[in-house]
Amino acid sequence: MALIVNELYHISNKTKFELGPISVTVEKGKSLAIIGENQSGKSLLAKILVGATKLSGGNIVLHGVRSDSRERKKAIRMMFQFSSHTLNPSLSVKKILEEPLIRNTSLSATERVFLIEQTLIQVGLLREHLHFYRHMLSDGQQQRIALARAIILSPKVLVADEPFATLDPSIRSQTINLILKLQDELGLSFIFISHNLGIVRHIADNVMVLDKGKAVEIGKTETIFRWPKHDVTKRLITSYQSLIPQQTLTD
Amino acid sequence: MPLLDIKNLTLEIPHEGKLIKALDKVSLTVREGEIRALVGESGSGKSIIVTVISGATPPNWRVTADRMTWNGEDLLNISAERRRTIMNREIAVVFQNPLTALDPSVKIGAQIKESIPNELVVGKYFWQRAARRKKTTISTLHKVGIKDHLGVMNSYPHEISTGIGQRIMLAMALVAQPKIIIADDPTRGMETKTKTQILKLLTKLNVTRSVAVLFVSHDLLAIASMANSMTVLYCGQTVESGKMKNLKKRPLHPYTKALIDSAPSFRSDLSHKTLLPALSGSIPALQNVPIGCRLGPRCPRAQRECVNVPSPRRIHEHTYSCHFPLHREKR
Ligand code: SF4
């Protein structure tokens, strides 16, 4: 079940910023990383993929999913960048996770609680966390709740804008491991924006390089890192490699 | 003699009628001309240390230390005035978010000119001094890699990008010709290109003007690319400190190892999409830190002794605090 993006195109009314046309395919269980400099249109592309911003042209097809927007909204979910403000402090974990279920499904109250408990366990939390509020959770646990909210509707595709940027190293590793595990178990496709090229190289199967709204290079991760073609890609990769100590490269 | 020398610094903060040890016997030294990284995740107390060094602690915080000296002067027992002079002239602190540190209503040029200490401005008449300030401002902007000095000087803080903003903060720090720059998480959230530029700039300043740098961050890739030595902090305790290359190659403390493992870029042997080694759980809140070694509940090597705080042990220039260090079993 692949996500196919055909000639996606968007022009902003206000700024006249043009994005696309972009065509790319993300297979089931695979990851696509979107990299590029600031103002390249990365976040806009993510918003279009999850249906938060409208297309001006082209289409997004997810095999096996009816293309009416409610079905698609369930199948392609966004995971928001973590900050301590992501979760509403006055809502319990149950309420936070129940909201997408009430809006998008016709499950009964008991069915909803059951599903919430299952999802909590999937992201490595406990049933008891149902009744917790934000201030009772550590950063890492809040991050897991954010992930739980993104996967509770059993999406086929998870989209994330800089999901790791604000995370501390150990929470970051835990989150990456969790996503890898979910990909493996649920066949989740993962599309993410990141400027941490170390992580991109480790978890992405394919990489798309955006520059001024155009996809200037798309390819397998290893190929892009070893043989970058476009100048923008070369620049990004070189500045990343200048950070890696030489002995690591030659080890 | 180290420039900054802190030994067994303890900081107690009152909380609901109790005193919480936000820092528990932290030691840190920075030598002249060196780049030292102070590494820790949020909740490690790294920013609190910066606050304590700069002397901006609220009156109800209790600071005690065996030693806390700046260039031989005891920072815990000097007059407020002397302290202010040191902070204005010798220690420069650059914060994470340039926009909040600048006055939004004043043009950047004026703000930099203003931060030049009077005694560095020579000239008998005010116009000579004004010209001097302008000259220093321009040359400092060039030093931090800003070519379009006029454009920047005539801008307001909201009109500039984070990368430029960070350079301006550095410029403002440099005009006083400090001996040390303390950079508190200066590259957080920056994209790689801007980040490398800032790191190169710090390294260059270190080399050409022999300013010492205390680089406070958890960005290991950034740290490893520039620091000579590092001190690792966990939950208010110093866990390990030493030369960068030794710590990276052979960390003795389980926490240092976990931190280094968290950067996939350091591991050429890691195969694609495999799970990263990670400690379970997260840093506890200061109100309920575990007794003894604070890593205890998360540490894969913890044993019964770990309920006692491990005292620092030293091999050459490498110090660690752990009852069961890695790599040293066979002794
Ligand atoms: S002292 Fe014990 S708990 Fe602490 S790091 Fe060492 S082995 Fe782990």
Short mmCIF file of all heavy atoms in Angstrom, two decimals, chain A residues 1-8 22-28 32 45 48-49 55 57-65 67 72 76 156-157 189 191 208:
data_model
loop_
_atom_site.label_atom_id
_atom_site.label_comp_id
_atom_site.label_asym_id
_atom_site.label_seq_id
_atom_site.Cartn_x
_atom_site.Cartn_y
_atom_site.Cartn_z
N MET A 1 0.83 -1.20 0.00
CA MET A 1 0.00 0.00 0.00
C MET A 1 0.87 1.25 0.00
O MET A 1 1.34 1.70 1.02
CB MET A 1 -0.88 0.00 1.25
CG MET A 1 -1.99 0.99 1.11
SD MET A 1 -3.00 1.07 2.55
CE MET A 1 -3.21 -0.64 2.99
N ALA A 2 1.07 1.76 -1.15
CA ALA A 2 2.01 2.87 -1.23
C ALA A 2 1.29 4.20 -1.29
O ALA A 2 0.15 4.28 -1.74
CB ALA A 2 2.87 2.71 -2.49
N LEU A 3 1.96 5.21 -0.81
CA LEU A 3 1.45 6.58 -0.94
C LEU A 3 2.08 7.16 -2.19
O LEU A 3 3.29 7.17 -2.33
CB LEU A 3 1.86 7.41 0.28
CG LEU A 3 1.55 8.90 0.18
CD1 LEU A 3 0.08 9.16 0.48
CD2 LEU A 3 2.43 9.70 1.12
N ILE A 4 1.21 7.59 -3.11
CA ILE A 4 1.76 8.13 -4.35
C ILE A 4 1.37 9.60 -4.48
O ILE A 4 0.19 9.95 -4.42
CB ILE A 4 1.24 7.34 -5.56
CG1 ILE A 4 1.67 5.88 -5.40
CG2 ILE A 4 1.81 7.89 -6.86
CD1 ILE A 4 1.05 4.95 -6.39
N VAL A 5 2.36 10.42 -4.63
CA VAL A 5 2.13 11.84 -4.81
C VAL A 5 2.39 12.15 -6.28
O VAL A 5 3.48 11.87 -6.80
CB VAL A 5 3.08 12.66 -3.91
CG1 VAL A 5 2.95 14.14 -4.21
CG2 VAL A 5 2.83 12.38 -2.45
N ASN A 6 1.36 12.68 -6.96
CA ASN A 6 1.46 12.96 -8.39
C ASN A 6 1.46 14.44 -8.66
O ASN A 6 0.47 15.12 -8.41
CB ASN A 6 0.24 12.38 -9.13
CG ASN A 6 0.42 10.92 -9.42
OD1 ASN A 6 1.52 10.47 -9.74
ND2 ASN A 6 -0.67 10.18 -9.28
N GLU A 7 2.55 14.95 -9.16
CA GLU A 7 2.58 16.34 -9.63
C GLU A 7 1.95 17.31 -8.64
O GLU A 7 1.20 18.19 -9.04
CB GLU A 7 1.83 16.45 -10.98
CG GLU A 7 2.37 15.55 -12.06
CD GLU A 7 3.61 16.15 -12.74
OE1 GLU A 7 3.57 17.34 -13.07
OE2 GLU A 7 4.61 15.43 -12.89
N LEU A 8 2.20 17.08 -7.36
CA LEU A 8 1.62 17.96 -6.34
C LEU A 8 2.09 19.39 -6.58
O LEU A 8 3.27 19.64 -6.80
CB LEU A 8 2.08 17.47 -4.97
CG LEU A 8 1.72 18.28 -3.73
CD1 LEU A 8 1.57 17.35 -2.55
CD2 LEU A 8 2.74 19.35 -3.42
N ILE A 22 5.69 18.21 -7.44
CA ILE A 22 6.47 17.17 -6.79
C ILE A 22 5.81 15.82 -7.01
O ILE A 22 4.60 15.69 -6.83
CB ILE A 22 6.58 17.45 -5.27
CG1 ILE A 22 7.44 18.69 -5.02
CG2 ILE A 22 7.15 16.24 -4.52
CD1 ILE A 22 7.45 19.15 -3.59
N SER A 23 6.59 14.85 -7.43
CA SER A 23 6.08 13.49 -7.55
C SER A 23 6.99 12.57 -6.77
O SER A 23 8.21 12.62 -6.93
CB SER A 23 6.06 13.05 -9.02
OG SER A 23 5.21 13.88 -9.75
N VAL A 24 6.39 11.76 -5.91
CA VAL A 24 7.21 10.84 -5.13
C VAL A 24 6.33 9.70 -4.64
O VAL A 24 5.11 9.85 -4.52
CB VAL A 24 7.87 11.58 -3.94
CG1 VAL A 24 6.86 12.03 -2.91
CG2 VAL A 24 8.94 10.74 -3.27
N THR A 25 6.93 8.54 -4.42
CA THR A 25 6.18 7.39 -3.92
C THR A 25 6.83 6.91 -2.62
O THR A 25 8.05 6.82 -2.54
CB THR A 25 6.23 6.23 -4.93
OG1 THR A 25 5.70 6.71 -6.16
CG2 THR A 25 5.42 5.03 -4.46
N VAL A 26 6.00 6.66 -1.62
CA VAL A 26 6.54 6.10 -0.38
C VAL A 26 5.88 4.75 -0.16
O VAL A 26 4.67 4.65 -0.01
CB VAL A 26 6.25 7.03 0.83
CG1 VAL A 26 6.95 6.50 2.07
CG2 VAL A 26 6.69 8.44 0.54
N GLU A 27 6.68 3.70 -0.17
CA GLU A 27 6.15 2.35 -0.01
C GLU A 27 5.73 2.11 1.43
O GLU A 27 6.19 2.77 2.35
CB GLU A 27 7.21 1.31 -0.40
CG GLU A 27 7.70 1.39 -1.83
CD GLU A 27 6.66 0.98 -2.85
OE1 GLU A 27 5.69 0.25 -2.47
OE2 GLU A 27 6.77 1.40 -4.02
N LYS A 28 4.92 1.07 1.59
CA LYS A 28 4.49 0.66 2.93
C LYS A 28 5.70 0.32 3.80
O LYS A 28 6.63 -0.36 3.36
CB LYS A 28 3.60 -0.58 2.78
CG LYS A 28 3.12 -1.11 4.09
CD LYS A 28 2.21 -2.32 3.89
CE LYS A 28 1.84 -2.83 5.25
NZ LYS A 28 1.30 -4.18 5.24
N LEU A 32 10.57 8.31 4.29
CA LEU A 32 11.09 9.33 3.39
C LEU A 32 11.47 10.54 4.24
O LEU A 32 10.67 11.04 5.01
CB LEU A 32 10.03 9.74 2.37
CG LEU A 32 10.38 10.97 1.52
CD1 LEU A 32 11.43 10.61 0.48
CD2 LEU A 32 9.14 11.54 0.84
N LEU A 45 4.87 21.44 2.56
CA LEU A 45 4.64 20.13 1.96
C LEU A 45 4.02 19.18 2.97
O LEU A 45 3.06 18.45 2.67
CB LEU A 45 5.96 19.57 1.41
CG LEU A 45 5.91 18.18 0.80
CD1 LEU A 45 4.90 18.11 -0.33
CD2 LEU A 45 7.29 17.77 0.28
N ILE A 48 0.39 19.97 3.43
CA ILE A 48 -0.43 19.54 2.29
C ILE A 48 -0.67 18.03 2.36
O ILE A 48 -1.77 17.54 2.12
CB ILE A 48 0.25 19.93 0.96
CG1 ILE A 48 0.28 21.45 0.85
CG2 ILE A 48 -0.49 19.32 -0.22
CD1 ILE A 48 1.03 21.97 -0.35
N LEU A 49 0.37 17.28 2.72
CA LEU A 49 0.24 15.83 2.77
C LEU A 49 -0.84 15.39 3.77
O LEU A 49 -1.59 14.46 3.51
CB LEU A 49 1.58 15.17 3.14
CG LEU A 49 2.66 15.24 2.06
CD1 LEU A 49 3.96 14.66 2.59
CD2 LEU A 49 2.23 14.51 0.79
N LEU A 55 -4.29 21.58 -1.99
CA LEU A 55 -3.48 21.52 -3.20
C LEU A 55 -3.98 22.53 -4.21
O LEU A 55 -5.18 22.82 -4.26
CB LEU A 55 -3.68 20.16 -3.87
CG LEU A 55 -3.20 18.89 -3.20
CD1 LEU A 55 -3.87 17.71 -3.87
CD2 LEU A 55 -1.72 18.81 -3.36
N GLY A 57 -2.87 21.84 -7.40
CA GLY A 57 -2.89 20.95 -8.54
C GLY A 57 -2.28 19.61 -8.18
O GLY A 57 -1.64 19.47 -7.14
N GLY A 58 -2.47 18.61 -9.03
CA GLY A 58 -1.92 17.28 -8.76
C GLY A 58 -2.80 16.52 -7.79
O GLY A 58 -3.87 16.99 -7.41
N ASN A 59 -2.35 15.33 -7.37
CA ASN A 59 -3.14 14.59 -6.40
C ASN A 59 -2.27 13.68 -5.53
O ASN A 59 -1.11 13.43 -5.83
CB ASN A 59 -4.24 13.78 -7.09
CG ASN A 59 -3.67 12.88 -8.16
OD1 ASN A 59 -2.60 12.31 -8.01
ND2 ASN A 59 -4.38 12.77 -9.28
N ILE A 60 -2.89 13.23 -4.44
CA ILE A 60 -2.21 12.35 -3.49
C ILE A 60 -3.05 11.09 -3.41
O ILE A 60 -4.23 11.15 -3.05
CB ILE A 60 -2.11 13.00 -2.11
CG1 ILE A 60 -1.30 14.31 -2.20
CG2 ILE A 60 -1.47 12.05 -1.10
CD1 ILE A 60 -1.38 15.16 -0.95
N VAL A 61 -2.49 9.96 -3.77
CA VAL A 61 -3.26 8.72 -3.78
C VAL A 61 -2.68 7.76 -2.77
O VAL A 61 -1.48 7.54 -2.71
CB VAL A 61 -3.20 8.05 -5.18
CG1 VAL A 61 -4.20 6.91 -5.24
CG2 VAL A 61 -3.44 9.06 -6.25
N LEU A 62 -3.57 7.19 -1.98
CA LEU A 62 -3.12 6.16 -1.05
C LEU A 62 -3.88 4.91 -1.45
O LEU A 62 -5.09 4.85 -1.39
CB LEU A 62 -3.46 6.59 0.37
CG LEU A 62 -2.87 5.75 1.49
CD1 LEU A 62 -1.36 5.71 1.40
CD2 LEU A 62 -3.29 6.33 2.83
N HIS A 63 -3.15 3.91 -1.92
CA HIS A 63 -3.80 2.69 -2.40
C HIS A 63 -4.70 2.08 -1.35
O HIS A 63 -4.31 1.94 -0.21
CB HIS A 63 -2.75 1.67 -2.82
CG HIS A 63 -2.37 1.83 -4.25
ND1 HIS A 63 -3.28 1.74 -5.26
CD2 HIS A 63 -1.18 2.08 -4.83
CE1 HIS A 63 -2.67 1.93 -6.40
NE2 HIS A 63 -1.39 2.15 -6.17
N GLY A 64 -5.90 1.73 -1.75
CA GLY A 64 -6.78 1.04 -0.82
C GLY A 64 -7.54 1.96 0.10
O GLY A 64 -8.27 1.51 0.97
N VAL A 65 -7.37 3.27 -0.07
CA VAL A 65 -8.11 4.19 0.79
C VAL A 65 -8.95 5.08 -0.11
O VAL A 65 -8.45 5.61 -1.10
CB VAL A 65 -7.15 5.06 1.63
CG1 VAL A 65 -7.93 6.13 2.37
CG2 VAL A 65 -6.38 4.19 2.60
N SER A 67 -10.61 8.21 -1.51
CA SER A 67 -9.88 9.48 -1.51
C SER A 67 -10.68 10.63 -0.91
O SER A 67 -10.21 11.74 -0.87
CB SER A 67 -9.45 9.83 -2.93
OG SER A 67 -10.60 9.82 -3.74
N ARG A 72 -8.98 9.96 4.10
CA ARG A 72 -7.56 10.24 3.95
C ARG A 72 -7.00 10.85 5.23
O ARG A 72 -5.89 10.55 5.63
CB ARG A 72 -7.34 11.18 2.77
CG ARG A 72 -6.03 10.88 2.06
CD ARG A 72 -5.72 11.91 1.02
NE ARG A 72 -5.10 13.07 1.62
CZ ARG A 72 -5.08 14.25 1.04
NH1 ARG A 72 -5.67 14.44 -0.12
NH2 ARG A 72 -4.48 15.27 1.63
N ILE A 76 -3.62 9.36 6.88
CA ILE A 76 -2.36 10.11 6.92
C ILE A 76 -2.42 11.05 8.12
O ILE A 76 -3.21 11.98 8.14
CB ILE A 76 -2.15 10.94 5.63
CG1 ILE A 76 -2.31 10.05 4.41
CG2 ILE A 76 -0.79 11.59 5.64
CD1 ILE A 76 -2.13 10.77 3.10
N LYS A 156 -1.95 4.89 7.93
CA LYS A 156 -1.02 4.15 7.07
C LYS A 156 0.27 4.96 6.93
O LYS A 156 1.32 4.42 6.66
CB LYS A 156 -1.63 3.97 5.67
CG LYS A 156 -3.01 3.36 5.70
CD LYS A 156 -2.92 1.86 5.93
CE LYS A 156 -4.28 1.20 5.94
NZ LYS A 156 -4.90 1.21 7.29
N VAL A 157 0.12 6.27 7.07
CA VAL A 157 1.26 7.15 6.88
C VAL A 157 1.34 8.13 8.05
O VAL A 157 0.33 8.68 8.47
CB VAL A 157 1.11 7.98 5.57
CG1 VAL A 157 2.32 8.86 5.35
CG2 VAL A 157 0.87 7.07 4.38
N SER A 189 4.17 3.90 7.02
CA SER A 189 5.11 4.71 6.23
C SER A 189 5.36 5.99 7.01
O SER A 189 4.46 6.52 7.64
CB SER A 189 4.52 5.06 4.87
OG SER A 189 4.16 3.88 4.21
N ILE A 191 7.00 9.86 6.90
CA ILE A 191 7.56 10.97 6.14
C ILE A 191 7.95 12.03 7.14
O ILE A 191 7.12 12.47 7.93
CB ILE A 191 6.52 11.55 5.16
CG1 ILE A 191 6.05 10.44 4.21
CG2 ILE A 191 7.09 12.73 4.39
CD1 ILE A 191 5.00 10.90 3.23
N MET A 208 14.36 13.23 0.06
CA MET A 208 13.99 14.24 -0.94
C MET A 208 14.62 15.56 -0.52
O MET A 208 14.52 15.96 0.63
CB MET A 208 12.47 14.40 -0.99
CG MET A 208 12.04 15.49 -1.94
SD MET A 208 10.33 16.06 -1.69
CE MET A 208 9.42 14.59 -1.92
#
